[in-house]
Amino acid sequence: RWAGLPSQSPVESVLLDSIRGFEQDAEASLWRGVPVPPERKRDTLISLGWEFSPRHLEILMSGIRFRVIRAGRRSGKSYAGAAEAAAELICKAGCFGVIAAQTYKLARIAFSAMVKILKRAERAGLCKLIVCTSSERNLRVVLDNGAECIGHSLEWGEFAQGFGADFLILDECALAEEWVWIRILRPTLADRNGWAMLIGTPQRSSW
């Protein structure tokens, strides 16, 4: 009890409400940080007719939080990232993800591939798309389970800061500066224990 205050005074009631709100936020934060088992994402994609190459399956099932995929052109690396992003949105209600690249044109490649998979899942009855926009600078999809993903550009330093993400796909990561990953992208994954997939084509020298 607070000295000099009656039981359940207005001040005490506010304090109790604040504590309850904090506990609810903490519980929700812990739930957001629980990763989706790789087996569940694999089975979801298989049910949609997705055919895995041995390398794609190895990447998906690794369970590693931060993965770097360095592969040549037409190897399917962007589609591997798009497939895992789609499976995450379907399996994890309320999650938030980002598909980023140096330009919107590059971000739209993986984002559009993800949307195609989600539309196939919608026809199969696994989810329902509530919002789906893919205009020049507005890449966003929201499912009926509250899961959301946006596509974003890193050009002109306009990548939004201050939000938390459950997953991040960075396409053609070698085109981005190392400090962008360290100071901007990675911190967005901290509070939700999010995972990241950094995808790139081999370069002569890059971080």
Side-chain angles (χ1 to χ4, degrees):
R1 300 298 177 194
W2 292 88
L5 294 177
S7 176
Q8 291 295 312
S9 69
V11 174
E12 187 176 10
S13 297
V14 170
L15 288 171
L16 289 174
D17 290 341
S18 298
I19 292 171
R20 293 190 190 101
F22 176 80
E23 291 173 344
Q24 292 171 358
D25 290 343
E27 183 178 357
S29 180
L30 288 172
W31 171 248
R32 286 196 300 265
V34 176
V36 178
E39 295 81 6
R40 187 179 176 192
K41 290 190 279 190
R42 177 201 60 195
D43 295 343
T44 299
L45 293 171
I46 289 176
S47 69
L48 297 175
W50 186 269
E51 296 182 1
F52 292 96
S53 70
R55 289 292 176 87
H56 289 175
L57 189 59
E58 181 183 358
I59 293 168
L60 176 65
M61 299 300 295
S62 69
I64 298 173
R65 186 183 178 198
F66 297 138
R67 289 164 287 172
V68 178
I69 304 176
R70 185 171 178 264
R73 288 180 170 274
R74 309 302 300 168
S75 60
K77 56 186 182 296
S78 295
Y79 288 95
E84 184 159 356
E88 183 88 5
L89 294 173
I90 294 170
C91 296
K92 191 170 185 178
C95 72
F96 181 79
V98 181
I99 294 179
Q102 188 64 23
T103 65
Y104 274 103
K105 183 178 180 180
L106 287 174
R108 189 181 290 111
I109 295 174
F111 188 87
S112 298
M114 179 195 68
V115 169
K116 288 181 180 178
I117 298 171
L118 290 174
K119 287 183 177 179
R120 187 188 305 176
E122 185 176 37
R123 292 193 294 269
L126 295 181
C127 67
K128 183 178 180 181
L129 276 69
I130 304 300
V131 177
C132 184
T133 57
S134 56
S135 60
E136 183 178 356
R137 291 183 178 273
N138 186 15
L139 304 175
R140 181 171 177 254
V141 64
V142 180
L143 304 188
D144 58 338
N145 64 356
E148 178 180 356
C149 183
I150 62 172
H152 222 294
S153 163
L154 301 179
E155 56 189 343
W156 304 310
E158 61 182 43
F159 190 87
Q161 301 184 48
F163 60 79
D166 293 277
F167 68 87
L168 167 72
I169 308 291
L170 179 58
D171 206 358
E172 295 300 341
C173 59
L175 298 179
E177 299 290 341
E178 183 178 6
W179 67 268
V180 174
W181 162 251
I182 295 174
R183 294 174 54 186
I184 298 179
L185 301 180
R186 183 170 178 176
T188 65
L189 304 168
D191 61 335
R192 300 193 182 202
N193 194 34
W195 56 268
M197 184 182 292
L198 280 61
I199 303 169
T201 305
Q203 304 284 341
R204 286 187 177 181
S205 61
S206 71
W207 56 279

